[in-house]
Amino acid sequence: MLVDTQPATHQHVPAAPEVRDAWVNSQLVGVMMDNLGSTLLLGGLSLPILVYLMAGEVSTPALVLWTAAMLISLVLRFRLIGIYRLRYDSVDGPQRQAFIERYGWSWPAIGLLWGGPVALSYLQASFITQFICALLVVGQGLVTLAAYSAYRPIYRSYTNALSLSALIGLVLATVLYFDRTDPLQTTALFAVLVVFWALLQMAGVRLHQVYRSSFELQFSNQELIDSLTLQTRASLRAVSTKNRFLASAAHDLRQPVHALSLYADWLASEPEMARDIAPRILQSTRAINELFDSLFDLTRIDAGNYKVRLQHVEVHKLFADIALQFEPVAAGKQLRLRTRAQPITLWSDPVVLRRILGNLVSNALRHTTRGGVLLALRRRQDMVVFEVWDTGVGIAREHQQAIFQEFFRVSQHQGTEDSLGLGLTIVSKLATLMGYQLALQSEASRGSVFRVMLPAYTQQDDTADPQPTVVAPG
């Protein structure tokens, strides 16, 4: 199980353009669907007026057929609004886009039908009827400018269908009733229709840009608000961590300093006890030095001043050094310390690597009372894995994240009395610094295994440069 060993932080990452566009498009679809009811109401009011004016003046079968088609389309549009309100009004993104892809054909279809009165009335009905029919068609186009321009693909398909239907109606009426045609008048009507279509397109583009800019600004503002909220939370967590860190450091530092003062007073009053007191003074001094060294390491890592010197590292030699350092500790506790490694040379910082593995081995020995500790190296297809096995007390699942925090110690564990609670914190920070992954698998009362995984990209070296490569963090 990979363990998140770092404290929660936040770095604002702007949303991808695809995410922004998907959200903006979904909002534009929402605006269009909110305005669909107004066009439906206008269509319902206009239909009986058109039928009344054209009745008796145009072809009755054609009028009946057009009226039936319009009624069906109005019912379908009403049902379409219901489907949207029920299934898609409360969702964003791809769902609304899928709705448009499924029902988008209905807009150009209704646009074609609304151009029908021009074909039915031109050169057939009275001048008043033709004028009112044309006026209602123009009004329909202007209403849809406000209703559909939010979502440009639908608006463009609708206005194209409406203009094309009116144009076809003019052409058919001119061909069928050529003897009634006034060339000048017909030419003027064609020109007016083309200009009207062009004006609709230009106005639609401008209005669509206004809608899109508004929602893009809304998205950016919400993104900024979310970022500030997360940064505020991260800052509060950082302050809390700092306070806890300082309190724990002061607590751990106070104990050996207080012990030193007691030993000094004791030595001043009873000089003959120097042989017994001196080891205790050395032990307290060593604890203070260890705490300061750990604090300095953490400070350097967090401040970005920890220099990494990459060079070739022979694993056998590294394991031998670690075994030489910790075998006396293992022997003192009657534990068995073993190492197992393949003959391999890595590209890393030997000091950092020794510090990571040394802290893990030290932690394993501290919490193991019987059995032993194994330091091993395994090679996988895409990485090299260091493993530290122990047969110690194990770590309960509820503590497996917290043990990497500063000064955290499991109170019921033996061996934590002399622990500073900084070893695993340093391990996690150094692993992150080097680009390594840290994993933990443990079971209470059964033992633990820590894994340090070196991905393949961390093993790339520059063989042409014999000198160690110095890399600054970040």
Side-chain angles (χ1 to χ4, degrees):
M1 178 183 68
L2 286 176
V3 179
D4 181 12
T5 60
Q6 296 302 308
T9 57
H10 171 71
Q11 182 178 6
H12 174 59
V13 178
E18 295 80 7
V19 176
R20 177 189 295 265
D21 290 341
W23 185 86
V24 171
N25 286 335
S26 69
Q27 300 305 309
L28 295 176
V29 171
V31 172
M32 182 188 68
M33 292 303 299
D34 291 339
N35 294 331
L36 185 59
S38 62
T39 62
L40 186 63
L41 177 62
L42 177 63
L45 296 176
S46 302
L47 182 60
I49 298 175
L50 290 172
V51 173
Y52 175 78
L53 290 173
M54 291 187 292
E57 298 187 20
V58 302
S59 172
T60 301
L63 180 60
V64 171
L65 182 62
W66 177 81
T67 304
M70 285 296 298
L71 289 174
I72 293 173
S73 69
L74 291 176
V75 172
L76 291 177
R77 303 288 274 181
F78 182 79
R79 182 174 180 273
L80 190 64
I81 293 177
I83 293 175
Y84 176 81
R85 298 292 182 216
L86 182 63
R87 302 179 185 177
Y88 301 95
D89 194 24
S90 59
V91 298
D92 290 331
Q95 292 87 346
R96 290 187 181 179
Q97 191 65 36
F99 169 80
I100 291 298
E101 292 176 357
R102 183 174 182 180
Y103 298 105
W105 58 269
S106 62
W107 275 270
I110 194 69
L112 290 173
L113 288 176
W114 271 112
V118 175
L120 292 174
S121 63
Y122 184 60
L123 299 178
Q124 301 179 61
S126 63
F127 176 78
I128 295 298
T129 301
Q130 295 182 50
F131 176 76
I132 294 177
C133 290
L135 188 62
L136 289 176
V137 171
V138 171
Q140 186 68 24
L142 294 177
V143 168
T144 55
L145 172 63
Y148 300 157
S149 60
Y151 193 70
R152 181 156 170 70
I154 291 297
Y155 175 77
R156 186 171 54 244
S157 63
Y158 178 87
T159 53
N160 289 341
L162 177 65
S163 302
L164 180 63
S165 176
L167 180 63
I168 293 175
L170 290 177
V171 172
L172 289 177
T174 302
V175 172
L176 293 176
Y177 306 99
F178 185 76
D179 55 333
R180 307 179 191 175
T181 303
D182 183 352
L184 182 61
Q185 179 183 358
T186 303
T187 303
L189 288 176
F190 278 111
V192 169
L193 182 59
V194 171
V195 170
F196 177 66
W197 171 83
L199 290 175
L200 285 179
Q201 297 301 318
M202 289 189 293
V205 169
R206 291 182 179 274
L207 195 54
H208 170 75
Q209 290 175 347
V210 172
Y211 278 117
R212 177 169 287 276
S213 298
S214 174
F215 282 114
E216 287 179 348
L217 180 60
Q218 182 179 341
F219 183 89
S220 299
N221 290 340
Q222 186 60 47
E223 193 177 25
L224 179 60
I225 291 172
D226 294 340
S227 174
L228 292 175
T229 301
L230 292 176
Q231 288 179 0
T232 302
R233 293 176 181 173
S235 299
L236 293 175
R237 286 194 296 268
V239 171
S240 176
T241 302
K242 182 206 68 174
N243 293 337
R244 179 173 52 82
F245 181 88
L246 294 176
S248 300
H251 175 268
D252 284 354
L253 187 61
R254 185 183 299 112
Q255 292 179 346
V257 170
H258 181 63
L260 276 177
S261 65
L262 292 178
Y263 296 148
D265 292 340
W266 193 0
L267 187 60
S269 60
E270 300 183 32
E272 67 277 2
M273 300 294 296
R275 183 183 300 273
D276 296 330
I277 297 175
R280 301 182 183 181
I281 292 178
L282 291 176
Q283 183 179 4
S284 297
T285 305
R286 190 180 302 111
I288 294 175
N289 289 333
E290 184 180 351
L291 177 59
F292 274 121
D293 289 342
S294 298
L295 290 176
F296 288 149
D297 282 345
L298 287 176
T299 303
R300 289 168 58 199
I301 295 172
D302 291 338
N305 296 327
Y306 203 101
K307 301 296 183 181
V308 176
R309 298 179 62 87
L310 299 177
Q311 54 187 288
H312 292 99
V313 180
E314 297 181 6
V315 175
H316 267 109
K317 185 176 182 303
L318 176 64
F319 278 18
D321 292 343
I322 295 176
L324 183 64
Q325 177 184 356
F326 290 100
E327 276 178 351
V329 179
K333 298 186 66 174
Q334 297 182 346
L335 299 175
R336 184 181 179 187
L337 175 60
R338 295 178 297 156
T339 61
R340 181 186 303 161
Q342 303 176 9
I344 182 177
T345 300
L346 302 177
W347 182 249
S348 182
D349 184 324
V351 176
V352 173
L353 203 54
R354 185 182 296 111
R355 191 71 185 275
I356 292 175
L357 298 178
N359 281 355
L360 291 178
V361 172
S362 175
N363 184 74
L365 290 173
R366 180 179 290 111
H367 297 96
T368 302
T369 57
R370 58 182 178 84
V373 174
L374 170 65
L375 172 61
L377 175 70
R378 302 179 186 274
R379 298 192 65 175
R380 296 182 182 176
Q381 183 176 3
D382 57 345
M383 64 179 58
V384 179
V385 182
F386 288 100
E387 297 181 346
V388 178
W389 296 74
D390 67 64
T391 56
V393 295
I395 305 168
R397 180 171 293 273
E398 61 268 19
H399 299 309
Q400 290 183 9
Q401 293 285 348
I403 60 172
F404 295 96
Q405 299 176 3
E406 297 90 344
F407 297 103
F408 181 86
R409 288 171 287 192
V410 182
S411 58
Q412 64 267 31
H413 279 189
Q414 295 181 357
T416 59
E417 297 82 2
D418 59 343
S419 171
L420 299 176
L422 293 175
L424 292 179
T425 303
I426 294 175
V427 167
S428 68
K429 291 181 178 293
L430 289 177
T432 301
L433 179 69
M434 296 295 293
Y436 302 159
Q437 291 179 302
L438 189 61
L440 167 63
Q441 184 177 350
S442 182
E443 185 176 347
S445 303
R446 297 290 298 274
S448 306
V449 54
F450 287 85
R451 293 184 175 89
V452 182
M453 293 170 281
L454 283 62
Y457 67 85
T458 65
Q459 299 307 304
Q460 298 174 357
D461 62 340
D462 186 2
T463 56
D465 185 4
Q467 299 298 325
T469 303
V470 181
V471 179

